[in-house]
Amino acid sequence: MNKLSKGEETLAILLRHYRIPSVREYKFHSIRKWRFDFAIGDDPQIAKIAIEVEGGIHTNGRHTRGGGYSSDLIKYNAALLGGWKVLRYTTSQISPAVIDDIKLLMKD
C-alpha cells in the first residue's frame, strides 16, 4: 500500500470517526490493476461505492495532465459500467461533507 496523501489521510480519519467501513487501495477490476483509493462497506463488492482523492490538481499532477487524465477517464468509465458509484474529490474538498455524500449513496 502506498503512503497516504494528506487528503487520503484526512478521509481515513473521517471514515474511522463516523464508523464507515472501508478498504484502502481496493482492486476493483479483474484484468487491469486499477484500484480505488477507498471502497466503502464491509463488502465493497456489494456496496460498490468508491472514493478517489485527486491530488496535484494545482501542481500539474498526474490527474490533470493529458495522459493521466485520459487514463483516469477510462478507469472511471469502466467502474461505472461495472456498477460502481465513484465519488471524486480534491484534497481541499475532503471534509465531513464527504461523509454526507457517502451516507446518501449508502441509502440507495
Side-chain angles (χ1 to χ4, degrees):
M1 184 181 323
N2 296 331
K3 183 177 184 269
L4 294 178
S5 70
K6 179 181 176 184
E8 292 168 341
E9 180 61 33
T10 302
L11 182 55
I13 291 167
L14 285 168
L15 291 168
R16 280 192 305 271
H17 176 78
Y18 288 97
R19 293 181 173 87
I20 296 175
S22 65
V23 177
R24 283 272 304 127
E25 293 292 323
Y26 183 81
K27 185 177 178 185
F28 75 95
H29 196 276
S30 61
I31 298 170
R32 303 289 297 261
K33 293 182 180 180
W34 288 323
R35 297 178 184 272
F36 293 128
D37 292 334
F38 295 87
I40 302 302
D42 290 318
D43 183 348
Q45 197 58 33
I46 293 172
K48 290 204 171 195
I49 298 170
I51 303 172
E52 290 282 285
V53 180
E54 309 289 1
I57 64 162
H58 299 291
T59 59
N60 197 27
R62 181 203 155 305
H63 297 290
T64 59
R65 290 192 312 260
Y69 184 78
S70 292
S71 294
D72 282 350
L73 293 179
I74 293 167
K75 172 184 170 179
Y76 297 139
N77 287 340
L80 179 68
L81 292 170
W84 287 89
K85 300 169 192 168
V86 182
L87 296 170
R88 298 175 61 201
Y89 301 96
T90 65
T91 297
S92 63
Q93 292 174 317
I94 301 298
S95 73
V98 172
I99 301 301
D100 294 337
D101 293 345
I102 294 167
K103 287 180 177 180
L104 279 173
L105 284 181
M106 290 174 81
K107 288 180 182 179
D108 289 349

